[in-house]
Amino acid sequence: FSATSERLSENLLELLNRVSRALGVMTSCILSGRGVVGDFHGDAVMGFWGWPLEQTDAAIRAVQTALSITQRFDQVHEAGEGASGQFMMGLGIATGKAVAGKIGSSDQVKVTAFGPVVNLAARLEGMTRYFKVPILCDEATATDISKSDGNLECRVRRLARVVPHGFHRMTDLYQIIPKGGDFDEIRNEDLDNYARALVKFEHQEWSIALTILDSLPNFDLAHHFVADFIRLHKSVPPPDWDGAIPIPGK
């Protein structure tokens, strides 16, 4: 978005229309999934589930919505409609307790949610840029997916243990892999090999981990982040390394 806004600085109305159309796709999917549109942050929208009515399947609804958004954006690109321009899209899903309700002043109020889980979801969205994948989630969401009845059109894999920017706790990071398109080229064997590499990586056997990662297909972009982290340290874990990758920015 930042690069596109700079390029279109002389035509901000076109940029506004593009962003509005892209936000329209996202909000439509959130509402169709029985979610609440909580807030807009520039080119991003926050949706949440489980309020004002309890939804025992809130995490699954969020995942279904994320998959619907990716599908809609793919259709837009294929049709050449340009609703999203050249924007890259990233979605972050975190599951947990938050406070929801009206917030604001006597002049203006809005409905939103806030709390650590909201911050984590925002960080997950930001980390899609680093791992070059469309959807990331936390362990709680991945667990709910594994307990679902299998009707979700996706696969899930753990990508790494990370410390998100501004956080002190480690969190396990998972990729939600939609079915269809280029993602079907990622074989289950490739996912198994990535899992093996991750075990070697976290047991500080970095040379072996890098060999496995380099054997994965190049179009599977997610594995490059861990491989580059290993190369940055010349395949030698830092003396105080705790198994987590610190994420440098939002």
Side-chain angles (χ1 to χ4, degrees):
F1 175 76
S2 297
T4 303
S5 62
E6 184 177 11
R7 180 169 53 81
L8 294 177
S9 60
E10 299 301 319
N11 194 352
L12 294 178
L13 185 58
E14 178 186 346
L15 177 64
L16 176 62
N17 289 335
R18 274 196 204 178
V19 172
S20 295
R21 290 195 296 270
L23 291 175
V25 170
M26 292 184 276
T27 55
S28 173
C29 290
I30 291 169
L31 295 174
S32 295
R34 299 285 189 89
V36 177
V37 176
D39 209 350
F40 294 99
H41 303 278
D43 62 328
V45 60
M46 180 185 72
F48 60 91
W49 284 258
W51 183 94
L53 299 177
E54 183 180 1
Q55 294 165 314
T56 56
D57 60 346
I60 300 303
R61 288 181 182 273
V63 173
Q64 289 172 327
T65 297
L67 294 171
S68 296
I69 291 172
T70 58
Q71 184 179 45
R72 287 276 297 275
F73 271 80
D74 286 343
Q75 292 169 348
V76 164
H77 283 305
E78 290 173 5
E81 296 174 15
S84 60
Q86 299 301 314
F87 303 151
M88 291 181 63
M89 180 191 63
L91 300 120
I93 305 172
T95 298
K97 291 183 178 180
V99 175
K102 293 180 180 179
I103 187 172
S105 66
S106 58
D107 298 311
Q108 183 173 343
V109 296
K110 62 182 179 180
V111 173
T112 190
F114 58 96
V117 69
V118 179
N119 298 335
L120 177 58
R123 291 294 183 269
L124 293 171
E125 179 270 324
M127 282 187 275
T128 61
R129 300 174 180 86
Y130 292 99
F131 285 87
K132 296 181 173 58
V133 299
I135 312 174
L136 292 175
C137 72
D138 64 347
E139 184 174 14
T141 305
T143 299
D144 278 356
I145 294 173
S146 70
K147 293 178 180 178
S148 68
D149 55 12
N151 63 347
L152 290 172
E153 295 291 314
C154 67
R155 293 175 289 171
V156 179
R157 68 168 160 185
R158 189 169 73 92
L159 285 182
R161 184 163 293 141
V162 301
V163 179
H165 180 76
F167 281 61
H168 298 292
R169 292 184 180 178
M170 296 182 284
T171 185
D172 282 324
L173 185 67
Y174 291 79
Q175 178 190 5
I176 297 175
I177 306 172
K179 288 186 178 179
D182 295 339
F183 290 107
D184 282 348
E185 297 183 30
I186 302 175
R187 304 168 301 171
N188 288 334
E189 178 185 346
D190 298 325
L191 301 184
D192 291 340
N193 285 333
Y194 185 89
R196 286 199 307 116
L198 197 58
V199 170
K200 295 296 183 183
F201 173 68
E202 292 176 343
H203 284 81
Q204 303 195 24
E205 299 177 59
W206 282 16
S207 295
I208 298 174
L210 185 59
T211 299
I212 299 172
L213 291 171
D214 285 343
S215 72
L216 297 176
N218 205 45
F219 58 77
D220 181 11
L221 301 178
H223 79 269
H224 293 297
F225 186 81
V226 176
D228 290 345
F229 183 80
I230 293 173
R231 289 192 179 93
L232 178 66
H233 293 87
K234 303 186 187 304
S235 296
V236 179
D240 58 347
W241 189 63
D242 58 3
I245 301 177
I247 303 299
K250 294 182 180 180

